[in-house]
Amino acid sequence: MGYSVIRIALLLAGVCLLVGAFLGWRWWESRRLSKISYQEYQIRREIQSGNYQEAQKLIKKVAEEESPYTPLFLSYRLYLEREGGLQVDEVKTLQSIISSLKDKDILSLYRERLAYAYFTAGNYQKALELLESIKGDSLNYYSAQILKGLVLEKVGRRDEAKAVYAQVEKMAKGTYFGNIASALLMEER
């Protein structure tokens, strides 16, 4: 009888310890994310006030820490390159964003953005590889296909590009991307 009381007491102590550890971890994680959320607010405030150098410093500080905000911070870095004229390695930043994303729809958007960066840099093969990874169920499928057609034209594969445009025109008839595909098919390239 005394032995089973000790076992029950040890079991209850173990369960209480595990529950306490879990609740402590959740409290710590919530506090950490609240701190990062405030830092995001500071970055956004610096960007809105035009203080791009200070925003860049804050981004460098917080982007090193893995969090759900990491893709957002890296996107801010891309914005600073475009709007603030700051030097940012777009390809490297986009690759970091892609590696930190878990949502497949957002992932396909950033893959297309990276493909466009490769396209503008003249790295057409990498652009095509990325565009091939964007499937028909992605929300940006048609825009990725239009970009794929442009890349194919650039590498001299005009017949394949026309086939891509014709497919988009057929699948997205009457939409923005369907109309763009129609216009691209009508152009003499």
Side-chain angles (χ1 to χ4, degrees):
M1 179 81 169
Y3 180 68
S4 61
V5 170
I6 292 174
R7 290 179 81 188
I8 291 172
L10 286 174
L11 179 65
L12 285 175
V15 168
C16 287
L17 185 65
L18 287 174
V19 168
F22 175 72
L23 292 175
W25 175 81
R26 287 199 49 195
W27 171 82
W28 175 82
E29 184 68 8
S30 174
R31 190 162 179 228
R32 182 180 80 89
L33 290 176
S34 291
K35 180 182 169 190
I36 293 171
S37 175
Y38 179 71
Q39 290 170 324
E40 187 277 332
Y41 166 74
Q42 288 178 307
I43 292 167
R44 193 168 10 102
R45 191 179 67 205
E46 295 297 339
I47 289 172
Q48 289 172 345
S49 67
N51 193 353
Y52 297 140
Q53 295 292 340
E54 188 60 33
Q56 180 77 337
K57 287 178 194 173
L58 289 169
I59 290 169
K60 282 183 182 179
K61 187 172 95 174
V62 296
E64 295 170 359
E65 187 175 343
E66 185 65 32
S67 78
Y69 290 94
T70 301
L72 177 61
F73 294 141
L74 295 171
S75 294
Y76 281 154
R77 186 179 285 167
L78 291 174
Y79 175 80
L80 290 176
E81 175 190 35
R82 189 182 76 222
E83 295 298 317
L86 301 177
Q87 290 297 332
V88 175
D89 184 349
E90 184 179 18
V91 169
K92 185 177 178 184
T93 302
L94 286 166
Q95 288 171 336
S96 296
I97 292 171
I98 288 170
S99 68
S100 65
L101 284 172
K102 292 171 181 56
D103 184 293
K104 82 174 187 123
D105 288 330
I106 295 173
L107 185 63
S108 69
L109 289 171
Y110 278 99
R111 282 188 178 143
E112 181 182 0
R113 173 91 188 266
L114 179 57
Y116 180 74
Y118 282 136
F119 173 71
T120 57
N123 196 338
Y124 305 122
Q125 190 56 42
K126 282 190 177 184
L128 280 173
E129 289 170 13
L130 275 169
L131 293 168
E132 291 292 333
S133 71
I134 299 172
K135 302 299 177 202
D137 62 343
S138 297
L139 59 99
N140 63 319
Y141 177 72
Y142 298 130
S143 62
Q145 290 300 298
I146 296 290
L147 179 57
K148 180 181 174 183
L150 294 171
V151 174
L152 288 169
E153 281 186 31
K154 233 8 170 175
V155 296
R157 294 162 50 187
R158 285 176 175 48
D159 291 337
E160 289 178 61
K162 285 182 180 181
V164 168
Y165 297 146
Q167 179 188 20
V168 171
E169 180 185 38
K170 181 180 175 186
M171 292 173 66
K173 190 168 191 77
T175 68
Y176 174 77
F177 291 110
N179 293 338
I180 293 222
S182 295
L184 290 168
L185 281 169
M186 286 191 271
E187 280 188 4
E188 282 293 320
R189 292 192 172 288

